[in-house]
Amino acid sequence: MENNARSSFTGKIGFVLAAAGSAVGLGNIWRFPYLAAKYGGGIFLLVYIILALTFGFALMTAETALGRKTGLSAIGAFNSLNKKYGFIGYLASVVPMIILPYYCVIGGWVTKYLYAFLSGGAAEAATDTYFGTFITQPVEPIFWFLIYLIATAVVVLLGVEKGVEKVSKIMMPILVCLSIVIAIYSLFMPGAIDGLIYYIKPDFSKFSITTVLAAMGQLFYSMSLAMGIMITYGSYMKKEVNLESSVKQIELFDTGIAFFAGLMIIPAVFVFSGGTPEALGKGPSLMFETLPKVFETMPAGTIVGTAFFMLVLFAALTSSISLMETVVSIVCDRFKLNRKLSCLVVLILSLVLGIPSALGYGVWGGVKIIGMSFLDFFDFLSNSVLMPIVAFLTCIFVGYILKPKAVIEEVERSATFKRKKLFQVIIKYVAPVCILLILISSVLEAFGILKI
Ligand code: PHE
């Protein structure tokens, strides 16, 4: 992808689309709604939006500028700017290796649902036990995981990102439209209004440090931050492209899709299972259990459902491709292997690392790591531990070692930096302090030392 992509980002659209393709994925459609439902609805949404406009904006700008300034991806970028801080690049590179396997397990679930809808199983998919039965089986989750993983690897191997980009241009707008249509439909179901209120009206009594923690982890994940991806994409960006407004567009797109996903799912949870804490705190299964029920009641629901899972699959694929591409290029460079071999190595590694996540709700359901299933643990390790560490180090590096001026100069190569002051304050003071506090509390909580 390196060479192809470097030449293909001819203008702003190229960069924005590629970055948005990586950013918009399961994080928006699957992860955001279940976190919002679990962590207090409106208050989570509010915290998330505030964080996106401040932390998200500052970090994405910093990462993109580091990439564009050096013309290198994460490891090279940090190394070339300051040898002593090259380790941040390595640390950032570990994150996609942890996310990729379990991301593909969930991608496998989506593939299974698409297959079910295509093969006349829509009604069955809407039953209460369908999802639970599926993920507890010993073979099926692995089978679909493997299919999804291979599909991702094939695209990475063929390097058809030009094709992917072209398809993105068509698929992404359809995804947006379809999400809006389904969201509106959901909202008109009797009883949905309570869900809407829960989702958009902040209830400050539900605020806690876990809300911020979850929102921040989600922000990094959803915007593909703190793992070197935006640095790489920034390195493909031309100097005359307006960096600040590109970042703004990506944020808007990413947050917009997440918002609509919440509108599709949360009111529907209220319709089908009431707003009970159990229903809202369901976690990873939320999208898979609620949406098929919505489709079941919809006129032409099977067609809408099929289209929906097809688009989600596509959004997920563009993200997992960017994850695998990053890992493959690291393996290529680090071990001096050719692309084919690197791809194979990454495929096998992901398979081995993903199997525990695929079986973690069934056969290996009894195995828990600090009280979590494998998938939850990998999700926690990447989102709540490693990404905050990388984000913290990036802020320190940009704020105090490299100095914000370097980033500001890079942004101002193309246009005036409108939110310059905000950027400086966040990257130097607000972000490092908050991230550190959040990191410490999340780790203490996971080990049961702190109760929040
Ligand atoms: N941002 C993607 C999503 O929301 C996930 C992802 C994370 C993709 C990291 C690439 C890198 O689904």
Side-chain angles (χ1 to χ4, degrees):
M1 172 163 144
E2 298 258 322
N3 295 332
N4 261 340
R6 261 178 227 281
S7 54
S8 72
F9 286 4
T10 41
K12 189 171 165 188
I13 289 287
F15 170 75
V16 171
L17 264 183
S22 166
V24 175
L26 294 168
N28 307 60
I29 304 162
W30 157 78
R31 201 171 185 273
F32 182 86
Y34 91 68
L35 289 178
K38 190 166 167 183
Y39 292 104
I43 190 72
F44 180 89
L45 186 64
L46 181 70
V47 170
Y48 184 84
I49 291 174
I50 294 173
L51 291 178
L53 292 173
T54 52
F55 284 21
F57 147 75
L59 268 162
M60 194 181 273
T61 306
E63 289 195 14
T64 314
L66 288 183
R68 190 168 79 171
K69 188 176 167 61
T70 56
L72 298 166
S73 33
I75 297 181
F78 282 104
N79 251 331
S80 79
L81 291 166
N82 189 321
K83 270 239 148 334
K84 251 174 59 197
Y85 290 83
F87 76 94
I88 306 178
Y90 286 99
L91 206 57
S93 310
V94 177
V95 182
M97 295 192 200
I98 298 175
I99 297 185
L100 179 64
Y102 85 78
Y103 201 89
C104 290
V105 169
I106 303 156
W109 298 352
V110 177
T111 319
K112 150 92 184 173
Y113 271 69
L114 176 60
Y115 175 77
F117 270 78
L118 281 173
S119 58
E124 210 191 326
T127 55
D128 280 338
T129 50
Y130 187 80
F131 184 71
T133 314
F134 163 56
I135 56 164
T136 45
Q137 263 160 33
V139 181
E140 256 211 284
I142 295 189
F143 171 77
W144 293 105
F145 161 49
L146 193 62
I147 301 262
Y148 183 89
L149 184 64
I150 291 174
T152 305
V154 167
V155 180
V156 171
L157 197 60
L158 294 177
V160 294
E161 59 291 317
K162 280 245 169 74
V164 169
E165 260 185 53
K166 265 207 196 108
V167 185
S168 297
K169 274 192 191 157
I170 307 166
M171 297 283 244
M172 285 296 175
I174 304 181
L175 180 66
V176 178
C177 296
L178 198 64
S179 303
I180 296 175
V181 171
I182 300 171
I184 293 175
Y185 182 82
S186 274
L187 287 173
F188 277 102
M189 287 188 293
I193 211 73
D194 292 334
L196 176 68
I197 293 171
Y198 176 77
Y199 180 46
I200 58 173
K201 190 166 169 249
D203 174 355
F204 288 91
S205 70
K206 292 213 170 74
F207 179 84
S208 77
I209 184 90
T210 19
T211 318
V212 187
L213 180 80
M216 186 166 291
Q218 171 62 12
L219 181 79
F220 295 142
Y221 185 86
S222 186
M223 294 192 179
S224 306
L225 294 172
M227 63 182 91
I229 289 190
M230 282 302 151
I231 302 186
T232 310
Y233 282 8
S235 75
Y236 302 143
M237 190 185 205
K238 284 200 170 168
K239 297 281 185 196
E240 62 271 16
V241 170
N242 188 329
L243 200 151
E244 189 182 5
S245 80
S246 308
V247 165
K248 205 165 83 188
Q249 284 178 5
I250 300 164
E251 279 194 87
L252 197 72
F253 201 56
D254 191 65
T255 310
I257 299 228
F259 177 72
F260 282 116
L263 275 186
M264 286 192 284
I265 294 172
I266 297 175
V269 174
F270 276 70
V271 173
F272 293 108
S273 35
T276 58
E278 301 81 66
L280 291 168
K282 266 235 151 92
S285 61
L286 198 62
M287 171 178 119
F288 296 97
E289 292 185 343
T290 310
L291 282 179
K293 292 194 197 328
V294 177
F295 298 138
E296 182 69 5
T297 67
M298 240 177 168
T302 308
I303 296 171
V304 179
T306 310
F308 175 79
F309 281 110
M310 211 149 85
L311 292 165
V312 174
L313 183 65
F314 181 78
L317 272 172
T318 56
S319 297
S320 55
I321 290 163
S322 82
L323 278 165
M324 189 181 270
E325 177 60 46
T326 313
V327 182
V328 166
S329 62
I330 295 167
V331 173
C332 268
D333 295 350
R334 189 69 193 76
F335 301 100
K336 307 268 174 297
L337 295 179
N338 66 32
R339 264 188 85 80
K340 257 200 195 133
L341 211 58
S342 307
C343 248
L344 193 68
V345 170
V346 173
L347 183 85
I348 294 172
L349 207 73
S350 305
L351 184 63
V352 173
L353 286 173
I355 285 177
S357 295
L359 296 179
Y361 295 100
V363 192
W364 288 355
V367 190
K368 296 270 182 263
I369 313 175
I370 47 171
M372 298 177 218
S373 70
F374 284 103
L375 195 149
D376 288 339
F377 174 71
F378 287 127
D379 193 60
F380 168 79
L381 184 64
S382 49
N383 291 280
S384 303
V385 182
L386 283 170
M387 284 153 115
I389 293 178
V390 174
F392 173 75
L393 292 171
T394 308
C395 291
I396 298 295
F397 181 74
V398 172
Y400 299 91
I401 312 296
L402 186 69
K403 302 277 166 21
K405 216 172 132 240
V407 167
I408 293 169
E409 272 170 17
E410 187 57 42
V411 176
E412 295 202 319
R413 274 169 180 272
S414 40
T416 45
F417 192 173
K418 292 194 200 113
R419 289 183 281 177
K420 181 158 74 184
K421 268 262 138 355
L422 181 71
F423 171 78
Q424 270 173 312
V425 173
I426 291 174
I427 214 89
K428 279 187 88 160
Y429 310 108
V430 186
V433 174
C434 294
I435 296 173
L436 202 62
L437 286 178
I438 281 167
L439 176 66
I440 294 170
S441 51
S442 85
V443 174
L444 290 182
E445 203 211 3
F447 286 97
I449 302 169
L450 187 76
K451 198 94 213 89
I452 39 183

